[in-house]
Amino acid sequence: MIEQAILEITAELSQAKNIVIVPHKGPDGDAMGSTLALMHFLRNKGHKVHVITPNDYPKFLKWLPGNDEVIIYEKDKSKAENLINEADLVFALDFNHLDRSGDMQEILTASEAVFIMIDHHREPSDFANYTYSDAEMSSTCEMVYHFIDKLRAVPKITSEIATCLYVGIMTDTGSFRFSATSAKTHRVIADLIDKGAVNYEIHNNVFDTFNESRLQLLGTALQNLRVKPEYKTAYISLTQEELDKNNFQKGDTEGFVNYGLSIEGVVFAVIFIENKQEEIIKISFRSKGEFNVNKFARTHFGGGGHNNAAGGKSDLSMENTIVKFNSILPEYKELQK
Ligand code: 5GP
Ligand code: MN
């Protein structure tokens, strides 16, 4: 983001009265961490700020500072629509195409507010007036830290803001182990700890607050694991019936896909999760090294994301989705070397 844009945004911020911050549909740790961090930062500057999520998000994120004030569009449409209509400024965080805002797409498209997008996914669209896009960044939370830095306001980062930003960097980097984790990321993290983020408490709140049935669901997922060594690929499936049997709660399958990558030689891991209500199979793709899952998700399953982590969906049955997936693999010579 160039100096000129920062000057213009500073001018916008000196005037904006009503600000709305929106993450993508199915918000994850980075989406909730970045939106809530920015909410606290802008409120402390005196703005009227609301975070509106397209839909609900997992319980393991519901302890974040400011969580009680989040408005969920799906549950509170008229309040959300009033706030969007009144907004002078809309921040779009952790997504780069308006269709990622789900049912909010229409009202956001119609809004006359000035849009600022901050995001680290590949191939951004240009719906926003100001775009801060950097696909090399570990997370949108790391970018919000740099954005605050560009506004010369790092000393204004409170422990609440630090906690929210820490959550998103931690979850999007797989606890600081994915390749997008840079020395710069660690410097940001060190500063966030200095500013009051309590690393072991945050880790506990996010990763160690599940119930027994979630572990049993993991057991089912691992039973369903299939490995295709000839394609360096492993995949897992979970049907709606299996989810129901294990008392599935939103967020329970978070991280399951990564187990495939823990097998020696596997560089491509996938999880297929049936959603009977939406009549889709939601798919997560993860890879190690060069294999580009953003491209794979985009080409075959109407999705996208990053080089090593992406998502998509299928309208076919579980069985046919897996048949389709298996029939595509031979096209990828780079998986066969
Ligand atoms: P997850 O598999 O954890 O849902 O998502 C992995 C990454 O891919 C995230 O950065 C997420 O924003 C992105 N992603 C997930 N599903 C979709 C999708 O349907 N479309 C696009 N464009 N990106 C997705
Ligand atoms: Mn993210």
Side-chain angles (χ1 to χ4, degrees):
M1 188 164 254
I2 52 172
E3 256 340 278
Q4 181 59 29
I6 287 294
L7 287 176
E8 289 176 26
I9 289 171
T10 306
E12 294 286 353
L13 282 174
S14 72
Q15 290 170 13
K17 291 178 196 69
N18 300 314
I19 301 177
V20 162
I21 309 176
V22 184
H24 57 78
K25 185 181 177 191
D28 56 7
D30 192 29
M32 292 317 298
S34 59
T35 52
L36 285 169
L38 191 62
M39 178 187 87
H40 292 299
F41 174 74
L42 294 170
R43 279 189 180 176
N44 295 346
K45 277 169 71 76
H47 300 288
K48 205 176 139 212
V49 191
H50 291 90
V51 170
I52 306 176
T53 65
N55 61 345
D56 207 356
Y57 47 94
K59 188 182 127 240
F60 66 77
L61 297 172
K62 293 208 166 176
W63 60 273
L64 279 166
N67 174 72
D68 292 347
E69 294 174 59
V70 172
I71 295 154
I72 300 171
Y73 179 77
E74 228 172 53
K75 294 186 177 169
D76 216 343
K77 265 192 188 150
S78 62
K79 186 172 181 189
E81 290 184 353
N82 285 337
L83 288 167
I84 293 168
N85 289 332
E86 283 170 10
D88 322 284
L89 205 53
V90 173
F91 279 89
L93 299 192
D94 204 32
F95 66 98
N96 63 16
H97 284 265
L98 267 187
D99 61 2
R100 293 282 290 137
S101 64
D103 291 344
M104 290 177 72
Q105 182 172 5
E106 203 173 317
I107 183 150
L108 290 176
T109 307
S111 162
E112 283 174 9
V114 170
F115 277 67
I116 301 177
M117 182 187 105
I118 304 179
D119 178 68
H120 67 134
H121 294 88
R122 302 224 157 234
E123 300 174 53
S125 65
D126 63 353
F127 68 86
N129 302 73
Y130 298 96
T131 298
Y132 175 24
S133 165
D134 186 348
E136 304 298 311
M137 278 281 149
S138 70
S139 53
T140 300
C141 278
E142 185 178 343
M143 295 177 76
V144 168
Y145 179 96
H146 297 309
F147 178 69
I148 292 174
D149 189 24
K150 287 173 205 284
L151 296 174
R152 305 195 201 296
V154 166
K156 301 260 166 65
I157 294 180
T158 61
S159 64
E160 285 179 326
I161 298 171
T163 300
C164 293
L165 293 180
Y166 189 103
V167 167
I169 300 175
M170 177 185 79
T171 53
D172 257 29
T173 58
S175 298
F176 318 109
R177 74 183 196 273
F178 298 151
S179 60
T181 316
S182 64
K184 199 169 167 184
T185 312
H186 281 288
R187 282 187 200 102
V188 170
I189 282 294
D191 194 35
L192 295 177
I193 293 175
D194 278 344
K195 289 183 160 51
V198 184
N199 53 341
Y200 53 91
E201 278 180 11
I202 294 173
H203 193 280
N204 185 67
N205 287 346
V206 172
F207 295 116
D208 297 334
T209 52
F210 292 106
N211 53 25
E212 200 180 326
S213 57
R214 190 250 183 185
L215 272 196
Q216 275 148 3
L217 182 66
L218 174 61
T220 304
L222 296 179
Q223 289 291 337
N224 293 347
L225 173 79
R226 296 288 174 271
V227 186
K228 313 257 299 182
E230 66 276 32
Y231 298 116
K232 299 178 183 154
T233 295
Y235 63 85
I236 291 172
S237 62
L238 281 171
T239 62
Q240 185 72 59
E241 199 184 332
E242 288 167 325
L243 295 169
D244 294 345
K245 221 165 95 190
N246 290 287
N247 186 28
F248 170 75
Q249 311 282 316
K250 212 177 228 326
D252 278 356
T253 55
E254 201 74 35
F256 284 11
V257 62
N258 293 314
Y259 283 92
L261 288 180
S262 70
I263 300 166
E264 191 172 14
V266 168
V267 299
F268 184 28
V270 184
I271 188 165
F272 302 95
I273 302 173
E274 186 176 25
N275 183 332
K276 267 259 154 72
Q277 206 183 342
E278 293 188 25
E279 296 183 336
I280 57 163
I281 308 291
K282 180 73 194 143
I283 316 172
S284 289
F285 303 97
R286 299 292 186 270
S287 68
K288 269 187 193 167
E290 296 299 304
F291 188 65
N292 184 336
V293 291
N294 168 49
K295 222 161 142 188
F296 189 93
R298 228 168 249 278
T299 311
H300 305 290
F301 293 101
H306 313 279
N307 282 356
N308 295 124
K313 54 183 175 301
S314 159
D315 299 325
L316 305 173
S317 66
M318 178 65 86
E319 202 185 330
N320 288 335
T321 301
I322 292 174
V323 167
K324 173 178 167 180
F325 176 74
N326 278 315
S327 74
I328 294 165
L329 285 177
E331 291 174 27
Y332 287 83
K333 301 289 171 231
E334 63 266 44
L335 290 173
Q336 297 166 53
K337 277 180 239 153

